[in-house]
Amino acid sequence: MAVVSAFADDINDRNTPLHLMQPQYVTPYGIPKESEVKGTIDRVLTYLEKAMPATAVDNRLPQGDFRLTSYEAGVLYSAAICAAANTGDDRYLQFVKQRLGLIATQAEKEASAMAKDPTYDAQMRMVLYPGALDDCGAMASAYLRLNKSDKSTVSKRSDAVIKRYTDFIINKQYRLKDGNFARLRPRYNTVWLDDMYMGVPCLAWYGRTDDAVSQIMLFKDKMWMPEKKLFRHGWVESMSSHPAYHWGRANGWAILTMCEVLDACGKNEVVLSLLREHIDGLCALQDKTGFWHQLLDKPDTYLETSCTAIYCYCIAHAINEGWIDAQTYGAQALLAWNACQTKVNEQGQVEGTCVGTGMGFDPAFYAYRPVHKMAAHGYGPMIWAGSEIIRLLKNTHPKLNDSAVHFYPKEQTTDKPIFSEDAPEQEFLW
C-alpha cells in the first residue's frame, strides 16, 4: 500500500485514499517482534549484570549501582525467574541464582560480625535483622519462587534466610486490630497500599493462602474505590474522611499482588473478581501514548515508567492465564509495551521512573516527585513486562486490521475477509 503524507497540499477525498495516511504516533504502534522485545530486556539484563556484581568484597556484599537485598531487588529477582521461564533463556535464572546464592552464603559468614557491629554491612542488616516489610517481603517471594522453580544449591542454603523473613512478616510486623498490615508513619496506624505487595505474595508462596487472601480483603475494605475501580494510596485510622490519591506505582503493587496470589494459590474467585475490576479501572485511564500517569486520574501529571511496566505485565499475564480476554485487553497490553521499550536507553538503563515515594495528602506531593534512571523500581517491572509480552505473542494471535491492533482466536494468514467458524456470516475476522 502506498504511504500518503499528511502534509501534501494537493490531496482530497477524490484523488487520495485518506485512510492510508500515516498517523503521527508519539510512541511506536503495532505488533512488536518477539526478537525485538527480547533484545530490549536483554539489554536491561546486561546492564544489571554489571551494575549488581555478585562477588563479595572484603567479606561484605558488593557495592554496585543497586543494592542486592532491597525490595526493588526482590521484585527484579522474581521478574527474572519468570523471564527465564517465558523466554527459555537460562541467563536470567543464573542472574538470580548467583545473587540470591551470594546473599544466603554471606548471611552465614557475616552473622557473627553483624552481631558485634550492626553497621558492619548495611545491605546484610536487612537480611539478618529485618525491621520492616520493605526489608523482607519481596526478597522472601524471590527466594520462595526460586525454590519452587529450581532445586539448586541456592535452595539448600536459603532456608535460614526465608525463615528470618517469614518470621518477621508473620509474627513481628505491626498490624491494626483487624490484622491489616500497618505502619506508624506518617501517622499512627497508617495503612500503605504498597504493603500489599511487600507483605502478601510471600505469604501466598509460603503456603499461607488464607492469610494472603484475608490481607487482600482487609486492604480492599480500606483502600478500594469502587466508583473508579482504583485503590487509594494511603489510609489513616484517625481520619474521619480519607483522601484518595491514586498513585500509579502503588496501584501497580496492588494488581501485582493479586497476580502473584493467584499464581501461588490457584484460582480464587474473590481475588480474581477484584483483579478484573482493577484491570477495567486501569485500562480506562491509559494515556494515548501507552503510558499511565503518575496520578492515574490526573492527566496533567507526568507519564511514569514503572507503573506502566507493571500494568503491562499484569494485563498480559492475566490474558496468558485465561483470566481475561485477549480480544478485549490485548491491544492495550501491546500499546503499554511499545511505550515501555522507549524508556530503555542504549546502556540498558530504565528511564522515567518515579523515585522512592512516601505518602502525601495533596496532589503536588505526587505530581512533582522526581524521576531518575537510577530509581531501581523500574528494572524488575521492565523485565517482567517484556518477558510476559513474549509469552503473549506466542500464545495469542494479534494482527493489524485497518491499521489497528486486534487479537483473534486463531492465526490469520490472509488480508482478505474470512468468516469465523463459530460466528454468523455477517461477523468476520477480516
Side-chain angles (χ1 to χ4, degrees):
M1 294 183 181
V3 176
V4 181
S5 171
F7 302 103
D9 57 9
D10 59 346
I11 64 172
N12 57 44
D13 182 60
R14 176 182 55 79
N15 63 25
T16 304
L18 298 177
H19 66 284
L20 296 181
M21 294 174 64
Q22 294 301 297
Q24 303 300 304
Y25 292 115
V26 176
T27 52
Y29 184 84
I31 303 165
K33 295 179 180 179
E34 289 180 32
S35 59
E36 295 172 344
V37 180
K38 178 67 160 46
T40 297
I41 61 173
D42 282 354
R43 196 159 73 249
V44 176
L45 180 62
T46 297
Y47 167 68
L48 290 170
E49 288 170 333
K50 298 176 182 177
M52 300 175 69
T55 303
V57 177
D58 296 329
N59 202 36
R60 293 173 176 82
L61 292 177
Q63 302 292 316
D65 290 353
F66 304 110
R67 294 170 294 166
L68 296 184
T69 62
S70 67
Y71 72 81
E72 300 96 327
V75 174
L76 171 60
Y77 301 142
S78 288
I81 292 168
C82 291
N86 290 343
T87 66
D89 189 344
D90 190 59
R91 184 178 158 206
Y92 287 87
L93 190 60
Q94 291 304 315
F95 174 84
V96 178
K97 289 169 66 175
Q98 289 167 4
R99 284 147 187 84
L100 291 187
L102 173 65
I103 293 165
T105 299
Q106 284 299 117
E108 296 176 3
K109 292 181 177 179
E110 295 189 39
S112 59
M114 288 290 295
K116 297 175 183 177
D117 179 9
T119 65
Y120 179 78
D121 185 341
Q123 291 191 81
M124 186 54 67
R125 181 171 178 78
M126 293 190 292
V127 180
L128 295 175
Y129 303 104
L133 289 177
D134 286 0
D135 293 345
C136 49
M139 287 293 296
S141 292
Y143 271 105
L144 290 162
R145 269 185 172 274
L146 182 62
N147 284 1
K148 187 178 180 66
S149 66
D150 183 82
K151 299 302 181 183
S152 65
T153 55
V154 177
S155 300
K156 297 175 183 177
R157 297 196 304 267
S158 65
D159 288 348
V161 176
I162 292 171
K163 184 177 180 180
R164 287 190 196 92
Y165 285 151
T166 54
D167 177 63
F168 178 86
I169 295 164
I170 296 168
N171 300 314
K172 299 175 183 176
Q173 167 61 31
Y174 184 75
R175 304 179 186 223
L176 301 182
K177 289 181 179 179
D178 63 6
N180 204 156
F181 293 142
R183 306 191 194 189
L184 299 177
R185 63 181 177 89
R187 301 295 298 273
Y188 182 74
N189 283 357
T190 297
V191 178
W192 296 57
L193 186 59
D194 317 53
D195 286 342
M196 273 185 73
Y197 186 79
M198 303 308 156
V200 176
C202 57
L203 292 175
W205 289 111
Y206 197 54
R208 297 177 68 97
T209 301
D210 291 345
D211 287 352
V213 174
S214 175
Q215 282 292 331
I216 290 175
M217 294 301 104
L218 289 169
F219 277 99
K220 179 188 176 185
D221 288 344
K222 300 173 184 67
M223 319 290 272
W224 180 246
M225 308 288 289
E227 66 277 13
K228 290 190 175 182
K229 298 182 180 179
L230 300 173
F231 288 92
R232 59 165 55 93
H233 182 206
W235 182 94
V236 180
E237 187 177 60
S238 61
M239 287 183 171
S240 56
S241 179
H242 300 280
Y245 291 96
H246 307 296
W247 180 37
R249 191 158 65 230
N251 273 263
W253 297 137
I255 192 173
L256 187 56
T257 296
M258 289 183 277
C259 287
E260 289 277 86
V261 169
L262 290 169
D263 285 344
C265 302
K267 191 173 182 180
N268 179 288
E269 290 299 335
V270 174
V271 176
L272 186 56
S273 176
L274 182 58
L275 173 71
R276 288 168 173 160
E277 285 192 73
H278 199 192
I279 288 174
D280 280 345
L282 293 170
C283 284
L285 295 173
Q286 186 179 27
D287 186 75
K288 63 186 178 183
T289 60
F291 290 99
W292 276 265
H293 291 271
Q294 166 76 341
L295 283 173
L296 294 171
D297 57 345
K298 302 290 186 183
D300 59 342
T301 61
Y302 60 80
L303 303 171
E304 203 276 329
T305 302
S306 66
C307 74
T308 300
I310 296 173
Y311 303 155
C312 176
Y313 164 73
C314 291
I315 295 169
H317 188 66
I319 294 170
N320 286 327
E321 294 299 317
W323 301 332
I324 60 175
D325 182 16
Q327 296 178 76
T328 304
Y329 301 100
Q332 287 190 263
L334 290 187
L335 181 62
W337 172 253
N338 287 338
C340 284
Q341 58 88 24
T342 67
K343 292 299 184 179
V344 178
N345 65 27
E346 288 301 315
Q347 290 72 42
Q349 297 166 320
V350 178
E351 300 178 339
T353 297
C354 175
V355 300
T357 296
M359 183 182 296
F361 294 111
D362 63 83
F365 172 75
Y366 295 97
Y368 291 99
R369 291 301 293 160
V371 298
H372 203 282
K373 64 185 179 184
M374 301 311 295
H377 314 72
Y379 289 82
M382 187 66 71
I383 287 177
W384 230 331
S387 72
E388 200 68 22
I389 288 294
I390 290 172
R391 185 181 171 209
L392 182 69
L393 294 171
K394 290 177 178 178
N395 287 348
T396 59
H397 308 288
K399 192 170 178 63
L400 290 175
N401 185 339
D402 281 343
S403 301
V405 173
H406 292 274
F407 279 69
Y408 295 97
K410 62 181 181 180
E411 184 177 3
Q412 304 301 293
T413 58
T414 176
D415 287 348
K416 296 180 180 180
I418 59 174
F419 292 95
S420 169
E421 296 176 355
D422 56 355
E425 288 189 0
Q426 70 269 20
E427 295 183 11
F428 53 84
L429 299 183
W430 271 95

